[in-house]
Amino acid sequence: MSPRQRLTPADRRAQLLAVGARLFAERPYAEVTMEGVAERAGVSRALLYRHFPGKHALFAAVYQQAADRLLAETLLDPGRSLVEQLVQGMEVHLDYFVANRNAVLAANRVLAGDPVVQTIMTNELDALRTRLLGVLPLADDTTREAVSGVLKSWLVFVRVLCVDWLAEETCTRAQVRDICVGAVLGALRPLLAEDPAPDRPRRSAGAER
């Protein structure tokens, strides 16, 4: 092991998170070990365990950091069209999902019943729902409540669809994005006084049969 670089506790934690993020992205969850993280980071196992008591804690911290970054990079701006905002948000998340396939599958499948990881994902979805509510033309509190319920269900749908797509790519990335955007536009149209996507045609009655 090469001589360990002296860092502040905050810098050391950031370094270990970066190394952990790379390893969880490169390998399935079961193949990542604390010993491997310590070796890749060039630190002793004892130092790694002082920052993170185990692999689960390290993964949770990595995933929390990723959720924070995704929220920061998802730019919702009332000055842009809703479709533009939805596409931008989907692209940001798909970029992360593709680059971190193993980590996303670990969070949603290997650790599907883990309360810590699930809370991180739930909090991110709630934050996204709140942001979307802030840019939609809502006539009153009743409409807001109805739209909030639709967005909550849609965000879960997006997560499940994207995870299934990562596991087995049955369509293209662009198709996944357009399916997700189209789904929420179709769900919101009956609830909003203003068409959220006037440039996108509605399906005709004949097409629905």
Side-chain angles (χ1 to χ4, degrees):
M1 182 181 295
S2 60
R4 188 166 68 240
Q5 181 183 2
R6 296 186 66 84
L7 298 174
T8 66
D11 287 343
R12 179 65 69 190
R13 177 181 171 83
Q15 180 219 12
L16 295 174
L17 281 172
V19 171
R22 288 196 296 271
L23 287 175
F24 285 123
E26 293 171 5
R27 307 174 188 175
Y29 183 81
E31 295 180 12
V32 178
T33 65
M34 292 294 276
E35 291 78 8
V37 174
E39 182 178 359
R40 177 75 70 91
V43 302
S44 68
R45 285 181 293 176
L47 189 150
L48 174 61
Y49 278 104
R50 282 205 295 272
H51 287 273
F52 303 100
K55 181 169 76 169
H56 173 271
L58 175 60
F59 182 86
V62 165
Y63 217 73
Q64 180 65 70
Q65 185 180 70
D68 292 341
R69 287 177 177 171
L70 286 171
L71 284 172
E73 293 172 8
T74 302
L75 307 175
L76 296 181
D77 178 3
R80 302 167 66 195
S81 74
L82 179 61
V83 172
E84 288 175 326
Q85 296 176 79
L86 291 169
V87 168
Q88 189 271 342
M90 285 299 308
E91 291 290 1
V92 166
H93 280 73
L94 286 169
D95 282 345
Y96 176 79
F97 293 161
V98 171
N100 298 273
R101 177 179 178 275
N102 285 313
V104 174
L105 291 176
N108 287 276
R109 294 196 167 177
V110 180
L111 299 173
D114 181 82
V116 175
V117 174
Q118 294 308 307
T119 296
I120 293 169
M121 288 192 285
T122 297
N123 289 342
E124 185 201 358
L125 297 186
D126 285 346
L128 288 170
R129 177 172 44 145
T130 298
R131 290 187 183 186
L132 285 167
L133 286 169
V135 299
L136 288 170
L138 305 177
D140 49 42
D141 288 343
T142 300
T143 302
R144 181 183 179 86
E145 185 175 353
V147 169
S148 179
V150 167
L151 292 176
K152 182 176 182 179
S153 298
W154 174 71
L155 287 165
V156 173
F157 162 78
V158 170
R159 187 178 78 178
V160 172
L161 178 63
C162 290
V163 170
D164 286 349
W165 175 71
L166 285 177
E168 187 174 352
E169 296 184 25
T170 55
C171 57
T172 68
R173 169 178 165 151
Q175 287 172 329
V176 170
R177 180 200 64 209
D178 291 346
I179 288 168
C180 292
V181 172
V184 73
L185 293 176
L188 290 175
R189 273 174 163 151
L191 298 174
L192 301 178
E194 300 176 25
D195 191 330
D199 295 334
R200 288 201 171 196
R202 296 171 182 265
R203 294 179 64 190
S204 66
E208 295 174 354
R209 292 194 184 114

